[in-house]
């Protein structure tokens, strides 16, 4: 197997992957927004628990 065949195969894999991204664009954005919102709410709950413990 030559290096050219390897890199052409790699190119075809990347091209196939990138062709799937445009239809999934909005879904990916909403997914990231949802994940970041959940992590933000979790972090706020950790901070409130810590503040309650500090008052005691």
């Amino acid at each position: 197997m030559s290096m050219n065949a390897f890199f052409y195969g790699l190119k075809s894999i990347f091209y196939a992957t990138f062709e799937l991204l445009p239809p999934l664009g909005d879904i990916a954005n909403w997914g990231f927004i949802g994940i970041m919102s959940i992590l933000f709410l979790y972090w706020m709950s950790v901070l409130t628990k810590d503040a309650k413990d500090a008052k005691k």
Side-chain angles (χ1 to χ4, degrees), residues 11-30:
K11 179 193 87 162
S12 65
I13 291 171
F14 278 114
Y15 269 65
T17 303
F18 291 136
E19 287 175 356
L20 294 175
L21 290 178
L24 298 177
D26 288 339
I27 294 170
N29 287 338
W30 285 109

Side-chain angles (χ1 to χ4, degrees), residues 22-54:
L24 298 177
D26 288 339
I27 294 170
N29 287 338
W30 285 109
F32 287 132
I33 289 169
I35 290 169
M36 290 180 71
S37 298
I38 291 169
L39 290 174
F40 176 74
L41 292 173
Y42 170 74
W43 182 244
M44 289 293 115
S45 70
V46 168
L47 289 178
T48 55
K49 287 177 187 176
D50 188 45
K52 286 180 184 177
D53 291 342

